[in-house]
Amino acid sequence: MKKLALHWQIIIGMGLGVLWGILASSAGFIDFTIDWIKPFGTIFINLLKLIAVPLVLVSLITGVASLSDISKLSRIGSKTIGIYLLTTLVAVVLGLVLVNTFKPGNAFSAQKREEFKEQYASATTQRSSDAEKVKQEGPLQPLVDIVPANIFSSITDNGKMLQVIFFALLFGIALILIPPDKAQPVVAFFDGVNLVVLKMVDLIMLAAPYGVFALLAGLVVEFAGDDPGAALELLLVLGYYGLVVIAGLAVLIFVVYPLLVITVGRTKYTDFLKGIFPAQMLAFSTSSSAATLPVTMERCEKNLGVSKEVASFVLPLGATINMDGTSLYQAVAAVFIAQAFGMDLDLYTQLGIVLTATLASIGSAAVPGAGVVMLVIVLQQAGIPIEGIALILAPDRLLDMCRTTVNVTGDAAVCMMVARTEGELSPVPEEHINA
């Protein structure tokens, strides 16, 4: 295993995890897998979450401080946010085009809809409650939430990553504005901490193949239960909807992003995919852009040639506000639910979905399942019955894994684009690309 590249180790771990889950479901080792194997996957996720906030904090501070020019920071920031919003808008529109073309919601019978409503009633109620809290907070609450009242409280909560980013940006800007002789010791300290954090990432990634094995094994046995056929039947019933979502995600990865990477980033897309592949596999396994962030940053710097200052700024921001895969999923899911309920959405309502899904994706936390909560807000805005969310809960875990992979790929593509336009993208040795 040690002689294999990291992405091959992760793929082997994923394959063995799925195989074990299927065999365990058939042979009655479900409790054994949940009690003795799944916890190691949870430990791996916790290790990634452990390093996420320190990495974002120190990398952003050092990245901003290294710019040493407020005008350059403003230029990179406006480019980054502008491109992120553009790709998100493209993703939402693409999702609406696909779901209106293939109409997967028409495939559900009334009987099957009722079964899902009853089965997932409690989960739907919980998500509706969470979304209602978000809705009642007011239109400017997301802006208020960006500014922390206590940074130490924010640092202890991975869900408050935007607050950590705000503090890090403010801290880095202040370092630029004070006299260089006073700022230098502080910058040197954070540079040292950054090296330590990156080395911790290297150590944690040694456990990645085993962590994803445990994650996938636990996921399969929980999904299948003691009847693997039930899971297969469920996937077949919702397969049409899932295929439409996956088709949209595939268009993003194999059409939209290649255009951006080749034309603006001026890089071979195959080289880009080779460089970012381990981060994609980790995103697929963890369903968390934030948990994958340490690996995404490492691969962009070492294997794609992005400068440290650009990667340290663009990627943490992207993991928080750039959710192309989630945005596409929300558009498809909202119209799919409307179709299942026999609703005909007019152009105005669907334009409202575009706007709401775009804004909701920015505020969506980079953790598993957050997209479902934000979907409720999209449904409410469009006047679509919230209880219909029960229809898409069954395959959501798998689709969450796929859309998170797209989210991470989009972050890396935009990072390359910004680096190229800033002259901060250097050639990468062939051995690093394939590492």
Side-chain angles (χ1 to χ4, degrees), residues 326-346:
T326 302
S327 301
L328 182 142
Y329 147 80
Q330 288 175 342
V332 173
V335 178
F336 166 75
I337 292 171
Q339 291 170 349
F341 277 81
M343 298 176 62
D344 186 19
L345 301 182
D346 57 24

Side-chain angles (χ1 to χ4, degrees), residues 115 156 258 329 387 397 402 434:
E115 287 180 15
T156 60
Y329 147 80
E387 58 269 26
R397 185 68 175 89
C402 295
N434 297 316

Side-chain angles (χ1 to χ4, degrees), residues 74-264:
S74 175
R75 186 174 67 249
I76 292 178
S78 59
K79 283 181 184 178
T80 301
I81 294 174
I83 297 173
Y84 279 152
L85 287 176
L86 178 62
T87 58
T88 299
L89 185 63
V90 169
V92 177
V93 173
L94 173 61
L96 288 177
V97 170
L98 288 173
V99 74
N100 281 287
T101 300
F102 294 101
K103 303 183 183 301
N106 295 340
F108 280 99
S109 65
Q111 179 181 357
K112 184 57 65 176
R113 289 201 300 267
E114 290 302 320
E115 287 180 15
F116 280 120
K117 287 179 186 178
E118 294 177 7
Q119 184 176 358
Y120 295 103
S122 61
T124 302
T125 302
Q126 176 62 46
R127 284 168 170 78
S128 298
S129 177
D130 292 341
E132 191 61 32
K133 291 178 183 177
V134 174
K135 186 178 179 182
Q136 291 177 354
E137 288 174 343
L140 293 181
Q141 189 60 39
L143 186 63
V144 174
D145 290 339
I146 291 175
V147 183
N150 185 334
I151 186 57
F152 296 102
S153 173
S154 303
I155 288 174
T156 60
D157 185 353
N158 281 24
K160 296 180 178 178
M161 195 69 79
L162 267 179
Q163 296 185 356
V164 175
I165 289 175
F166 177 86
F167 175 81
L169 292 175
L170 189 62
F171 196 100
I173 292 171
L175 277 176
I176 294 175
L177 296 177
I178 66 175
D181 60 319
K182 302 294 184 183
Q184 197 280 328
V186 181
V187 174
F189 168 77
F190 279 103
D191 278 337
V193 175
N194 193 43
L195 289 175
V196 173
V197 172
L198 291 176
K199 182 53 65 176
M200 291 175 68
V201 172
D202 290 340
L203 295 174
I204 291 171
M205 287 310 297
L206 293 176
Y210 311 100
V212 298
F213 166 81
L215 282 171
L216 268 297
L219 175 63
V220 170
V221 297
E222 288 181 341
F223 195 66
D226 55 5
D227 182 10
L232 179 60
E233 179 185 359
L234 185 61
L235 287 174
L236 290 175
V237 171
L238 296 173
Y240 193 15
Y241 156 74
L243 285 175
V244 172
V245 175
I246 291 173
L249 299 178
V251 170
L252 287 177
I253 284 189
F254 297 111
V255 178
V256 177
Y257 296 151
L259 288 174
L260 298 177
V261 170
I262 294 170
T263 58
V264 182

Side-chain angles (χ1 to χ4, degrees), residues 343-401:
M343 298 176 62
D344 186 19
L345 301 182
D346 57 24
L347 179 61
Y348 177 80
T349 303
Q350 297 206 28
L351 288 176
I353 291 176
V354 171
L355 178 61
T356 308
T358 301
L359 296 177
S361 71
I362 294 175
S364 180
V367 295
V372 176
V373 176
M374 304 312 293
L375 174 61
V376 176
I377 298 175
V378 176
L379 294 177
Q380 289 178 325
Q381 181 277 331
I384 300 170
I386 299 173
E387 58 269 26
I389 203 171
L391 297 174
I392 54 96
L393 287 179
D396 186 69
R397 185 68 175 89
L398 176 62
L399 295 180
D400 195 8
M401 297 160 77

